[in-house]
Amino acid sequence: QVQLVESGGGLVQPGGSLRLSCATSQSIFDIYLMGWYRQAPDKQRELVATISKGGTTSYADSVKGRFTIFRNNAWDTIYLQMNSLKPEDTAVYYCNANYSCWGQGIQVTVSS
């Protein structure tokens, strides 16, 4: 089972940017689909963005135009570039592989 380790979270002011990273324990070419999810307090976990093995990306409507998912194949790492952050983006963000493997989660807080 692939291991996933997230990094890059923290506190940022509204309108700011953060980049999350997710390092995998196996070749990213062996993973069909990777994605980022988030869970805010008292809310269900929701899909934020996905990237397929072939490089196709998809986004939740709430983050389109602000977030970008991309990957570095040489480093077996995917990223989530988050721009124009809003307080409602505050959540624990989770990396996911093939819908079944999860990272430990990382806190993102958007607040002034």
Side-chain angles (χ1 to χ4, degrees), residues 2-91:
V2 62
Q3 304 296 315
L4 305 171
V5 179
E6 300 108 334
S7 60
L11 173 64
V12 64
Q13 292 187 341
S17 298
L18 278 176
R19 179 179 292 182
L20 304 182
S21 302
C22 174
T24 69
S25 63
Q26 68 183 59
S27 172
I28 204 168
F29 290 112
D30 294 333
I31 301 172
Y32 176 75
L33 187 75
M34 294 198 70
W36 290 96
Y37 290 71
R38 67 186 182 187
Q39 187 166 16
D42 300 322
K43 291 189 177 180
Q44 289 188 335
R45 191 172 296 187
E46 63 175 358
L47 178 64
V48 175
T50 62
I51 185 166
S52 73
K53 183 177 181 178
T56 301
T57 59
S58 66
Y59 298 91
D61 287 342
S62 59
V63 306
K64 280 181 182 176
R66 300 188 298 121
F67 291 10
T68 303
I69 187 171
F70 62 100
R71 66 191 194 192
N72 185 312
N73 294 335
W75 292 351
D76 294 323
T77 300
I78 68 163
Y79 304 90
L80 185 68
Q81 177 67 41
M82 305 184 293
N83 299 328
S84 302
L85 282 161
K86 304 175 181 180
E88 51 264 43
D89 294 317
T90 295

Side-chain angles (χ1 to χ4, degrees), residues 8-11 18 20 39 41 89-93 105-110:
L11 173 64
L18 278 176
L20 304 182
Q39 187 166 16
D89 294 317
T90 295
V92 177
Y93 284 70
I106 192 164
Q107 179 70 45
V108 171
T109 302
V110 184

